[in-house]
């Protein structure tokens, strides 16, 4: 296999993806639990899911809610997806699964 020039190795230091999402801590926990095997570890708003040769850690940090008009308040959270020892292809597959799993109805 030829080396890729100008690119980092597929598996390097942890890589994080941060998303600002409109969901409550309980919605996050219920949805994140669907991403991994039943033995995926959940602790204090964090999930550790084995993926490829490494693992993915998904963490939720509550943010101030968004208020739209006088009646609508939307919860918000910062969700950090951190890949450790996960190759590029496995990261792409997992992020696609993550986006589909957290997708909601609407536009």
């Amino acid at each position: 296999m030829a080396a890729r020039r100008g690119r980092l190795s597929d598996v390097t230091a942890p890589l994080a993806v941060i998303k600002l999402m409109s969901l409550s801590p309980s919605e996050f926990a219920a949805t994140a639990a669907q991403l991994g095997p039943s033995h995926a570890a959940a602790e204090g708003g964090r999930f550790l899911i084995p993926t490829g040769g490494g693992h993915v850690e998904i963490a939720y940090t509550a943010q101030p809610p968004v208020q739209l008009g006088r009646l609508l308040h939307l919860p918000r959270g910062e969700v950090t997806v951190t890949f450790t020892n996960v190759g590029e292809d496995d990261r792409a597959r997992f992020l696609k699964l993550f986006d589909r799993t957290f997708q909601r109805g609407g536009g």
Side-chain angles (χ1 to χ4, degrees):
M1 178 186 229
R4 295 180 186 175
R5 294 174 61 116
R7 294 187 71 179
L8 293 175
S9 167
D10 280 354
V11 181
T12 60
L15 172 78
V17 175
I18 300 171
K19 296 176 176 264
L20 186 59
M21 302 176 74
S22 180
L23 72 167
S24 69
S26 60
E27 291 170 317
F28 165 76
T31 307
Q34 299 172 35
L35 288 170
S38 59
H39 64 275
E43 182 179 311
R46 297 179 183 275
F47 285 80
L48 192 62
I49 301 168
T51 301
H55 66 271
V56 179
E57 180 181 331
I58 306 171
Y60 177 92
T61 305
Q63 299 294 312
V66 172
Q67 182 173 344
L68 300 174
R70 299 180 117 177
L71 300 176
L72 185 60
H73 297 269
L74 299 174
R76 262 193 333 177
E78 181 180 274
V79 177
T80 304
V81 181
T82 305
F83 297 94
T84 303
N85 294 324
V86 178
E88 187 176 341
D89 291 341
D90 287 328
R91 287 192 306 258
R93 272 192 290 280
F94 186 86
L95 285 173
K96 189 173 183 178
L97 172 65
F98 179 93
D99 289 341
R100 266 195 323 258
T101 302
F102 277 91
Q103 182 178 343
R104 297 181 182 182

